[in-house]
Amino acid sequence: YQQLPNFVGFTFVPQPNLTAGAAFLSTNAWEQETDAELITTVPAGLHRLGYSADAEYQVRVAAVSAGYHRGGPWRFGGGLALSIMSLGMAQSVSDRIIDAATVRTLLVEAHASGSAYQIRAQGGVQYDLGERWRFGGAVRTPGAMVYKSGSVVLDGVSGDGQGSPGASLFADDAELEYRLPWEFQGGGAWLTPRLELELNVQAYTPIDPYQLLSTDEPTVLYGDAAGQPPTITTRDANGMVSASKGVVNVSAGGHFRVLANRDFRVHAGLGANQSPVAPDDTVFTKVDLSTWSFGLSGTFGRLQFAAGINRHSGTADNVLLRNRVNGEQVRTPVDIRMVGFIYSLAYQF
């Protein structure tokens, strides 16, 4: 269970045709923890893999904007948003093969983290076609970097009875490059006094592969072969690659006013949430989600409320978890099931 501080905001009318406002919200809040053990048999022995991984990815946004409506069918708006991204990953691996002759061991500890502060511009337009139809569109630009930080730490050692080679990397000032796509939204709504139906489309542009986290610090390799003097060599560290493909998500929903003389409504919706993760990405895992929601809303005087539930679900198959000491690959499915309680309160002064 996780409490998400998702959205708080306000609007005010400085002039009759102008509305201004600010909002603070969370657009992403993912936390994942995995502790697993895999034991298999080998000739005259056992092969044990212990694996632990923790990861979190959060994006919070602070936005200010203004909208203009002169009285006709058109409305226009725009503003700026500060996007704050934080990413953290930790992994621990214990891989051992025990047979009649030797014990082969691989121990790895790895940590990576980063944060980015970016400014994005956004704009939108709405057109009212008579009393029944509403059409709208919005666009958000990629982010302009304001501040960024990153770190990568790795330590590993391997032993097979003949030596114990190892590797280490410490880069507390790693280079982070976090790229955002162009985002486009469009939608239409059909309205009656008691019923409203909507259809919305959201699209993201692709992003070519790039190094999300990289460093000029070399990876130090320690050699310890039997009968040979120890060696210390270096090689360039491999960066963590991220890449996105262009996706288009579609959602539909609406609400029904239960009583003609009271503002009490029933809401429902469903949609697709396709993952933009591209095959070249080595940081994120691709899982396409589907979602539905149901809720109630109403008004009591100047107080407005809404409450409901939403559910997200998706599955990914054949996800590479780890390469074992003997060269085998450990792959696993990933299932995501989330149920959320959503609520909002608004007061008009």
Side-chain angles (χ1 to χ4, degrees), residues 243-259:
S244 299
K245 64 179 183 178
V247 297
V248 177
N249 292 315
V250 179
S251 61
H255 60 249
F256 176 70
R257 188 169 182 168
V258 179
L259 303 174

Side-chain angles (χ1 to χ4, degrees), residues 6-11 21-26 60-65 80-82 122:
N6 189 54
F7 183 96
V8 61
F10 65 89
T11 62
F24 306 90
L25 63 152
S26 298
R60 306 195 187 280
V61 177
V64 293
S65 58
L80 295 174
L82 174 65
Q122 53 194 15

Side-chain angles (χ1 to χ4, degrees), residues 8 21 167 185 191 238 287 330:
V8 61
Q185 300 181 38
L191 292 75
N238 294 324
V287 182
V330 178

